[in-house]
Amino acid sequence: AAKDVRMRIIEHRWNRGAATSYAHGLELSRGEYIAFVDCDDMIVPTNLEVLQRAAEASNADVVQAGFRTFSEKMEDGKVFAWTRRPGFLPGTLTGRMQHFLPVRIHIAPWSKLFRRDFLNMHHIDFFDVPVAPDVCFHYQCVLTAWRYLVIPDILYYYRQRQDSVESVQGLQRAERYAVAMARILDAFTEWLRQEKMFQDPQVKHQVRQPLYVFLLHQLRELAKTDNAEEVYAHARRAWEHEATEALRDAAMYDAIMRK
């Protein structure tokens, strides 16, 4: 039987960034499940049906499918699938962190389905940052989802744009990223203080480390696109205005990794 489907369109009068759009949509939605689709991407007609069927059959908190990239000229690009058959992420905390660090599952919120009561239970939302707003949302899901299911189906088409914010490189992107990095680490540290699963100080320290390593790796990759010393100088200047305990910890990890 056909279900009652209602659509509500929310218009932002000015560009407030992806994080605000994601968060606003999440706040106003009322369904049992949450799915995200970026405005310039495409999904296969059965996208939501396949994801919902997988979620209900497995009682999963999160279901992730594969995706294919395509260009402005509608040319097919690469296919990204992380499994040949449906399977769950490891049940241990260490196993989950190992999956996050090498990015064996993709970070973006699209091509996934989330159970609403799971997100509400763990206070998972998007942080308002200029770059990479989905990093912490993804990591929080990886850490707390009782059942995180990965399926092989290719259900999403991700458009690669030459003029996107993500395509900006060099010093301009490094400066944006340094500011975002400081705020991400701060917000994640605050979330850990509130999340009941991570009250033990040693566990808090353990779960922060992969996020530090990942973010510092991204900054290091940016440094390859321009003069490395200038990139790090921009980052340090940005951090002078965002001086936090989390950043000092991150700097310590960076020093250890460089040895």
Side-chain angles (χ1 to χ4, degrees), residues 22 30 44 46 81 110 112 121 212 215 226 232 248 255:
Y22 290 150
R30 295 292 179 266
V44 303
T46 57
W110 40 258
K112 297 175 183 174
M121 180 186 302
Y212 294 153
L215 292 171
D226 212 302
Y232 281 108
R248 288 193 291 273

Side-chain angles (χ1 to χ4, degrees), residues 219-236:
L219 187 60
R220 197 170 294 125
E221 288 298 305
L222 288 175
K224 294 178 181 178
T225 68
D226 212 302
N227 182 284
E229 290 304 317
E230 287 190 62
V231 168
Y232 281 108
H234 269 63
R236 284 193 296 273

Side-chain angles (χ1 to χ4, degrees), residues 74-144:
M74 302 300 290
E75 298 170 339
D76 282 346
K78 296 180 180 179
V79 172
F80 293 85
W82 285 262
T83 183
R84 293 184 178 180
R85 58 180 63 86
F88 292 98
L89 291 193
T92 65
L93 186 60
T94 300
R96 293 295 182 91
M97 292 189 298
Q98 288 174 345
H99 269 67
F100 168 76
L101 192 53
V103 200
R104 293 177 63 185
I105 46 181
H106 74 85
I107 288 175
W110 40 258
S111 196
K112 297 175 183 174
L113 191 72
F114 305 89
R115 195 181 295 275
R116 167 183 291 284
D117 56 8
F118 154 70
L119 296 177
N120 290 342
M121 180 186 302
H122 296 285
H123 309 287
I124 299 175
D125 204 341
F126 293 92
F127 301 152
D128 187 9
V129 292
V131 180
D134 40 16
V135 172
C136 267
F137 183 90
H138 162 75
Y139 191 36
Q140 289 170 313
C141 289
V142 169
L143 290 174
T144 58

Side-chain angles (χ1 to χ4, degrees), residues 37 64 124 127 175 208 249:
V37 180
Q64 172 187 306
I124 299 175
F127 301 152
E175 190 165 8
R208 285 195 301 185
D249 286 349

Side-chain angles (χ1 to χ4, degrees), residues 93 97 139 143 188 191-192 198 202-212:
L93 186 60
M97 292 189 298
Y139 191 36
L143 290 174
F188 183 71
W191 177 77
L192 283 178
F198 308 116
Q202 188 173 357
V203 174
K204 286 183 182 180
H205 181 79
Q206 182 184 11
V207 298
R208 285 195 301 185
Q209 184 172 357
L211 184 60
Y212 294 153

Side-chain angles (χ1 to χ4, degrees), residues 241-257:
H241 303 290
E242 307 274 350
T244 65
E245 177 186 353
L247 274 175
R248 288 193 291 273
D249 286 349
M252 179 188 70
Y253 283 120
D254 191 35
I256 292 172
M257 290 174 63

Side-chain angles (χ1 to χ4, degrees), residues 19-195:
T20 300
S21 297
Y22 290 150
H24 200 183
L26 187 58
E27 177 188 356
L28 296 175
S29 60
R30 295 292 179 266
E32 182 181 355
Y33 296 98
I34 304 294
F36 299 92
V37 180
D38 282 3
C39 62
D40 54 352
D41 295 342
M42 300 185 297
I43 59 175
V44 303
T46 57
N47 178 291
L48 296 178
E49 178 184 352
V50 172
L51 289 171
Q52 182 179 357
R53 188 183 303 150
E56 293 181 344
S58 63
N59 196 28
D61 295 318
V62 181
V63 181
Q64 172 187 306
F67 66 94
R68 180 189 293 273
T69 63
F70 70 99
S71 69
E72 296 279 342
K73 298 179 180 179
M74 302 300 290
E75 298 170 339
D76 282 346
K78 296 180 180 179
V79 172
F80 293 85
W82 285 262
T83 183
R84 293 184 178 180
R85 58 180 63 86
F88 292 98
L89 291 193
T92 65
L93 186 60
T94 300
R96 293 295 182 91
M97 292 189 298
Q98 288 174 345
H99 269 67
F100 168 76
L101 192 53
V103 200
R104 293 177 63 185
I105 46 181
H106 74 85
I107 288 175
W110 40 258
S111 196
K112 297 175 183 174
L113 191 72
F114 305 89
R115 195 181 295 275
R116 167 183 291 284
D117 56 8
F118 154 70
L119 296 177
N120 290 342
M121 180 186 302
H122 296 285
H123 309 287
I124 299 175
D125 204 341
F126 293 92
F127 301 152
D128 187 9
V129 292
V131 180
D134 40 16
V135 172
C136 267
F137 183 90
H138 162 75
Y139 191 36
Q140 289 170 313
C141 289
V142 169
L143 290 174
T144 58
W146 178 58
R147 295 169 73 82
Y148 190 120
L149 179 66
V150 183
I151 61 176
D153 309 62
I154 306 300
L155 303 176
Y156 196 94
Y157 286 81
Y158 171 68
R159 186 190 303 268
Q160 292 184 309
R161 298 171 57 93
Q162 297 297 319
D163 58 347
S164 70
V165 172
E166 295 299 313
S167 67
V168 176
Q169 296 296 329
L171 297 178
Q172 182 182 2
R173 180 158 167 76
E175 190 165 8
R176 290 181 187 175
Y177 197 89
V179 172
M181 182 176 169
R183 295 177 185 172
I184 287 171
L185 292 174
D186 238 9
F188 183 71
T189 300
E190 180 58 32
W191 177 77
L192 283 178
R193 290 194 184 103
Q194 301 175 23
E195 178 53 52

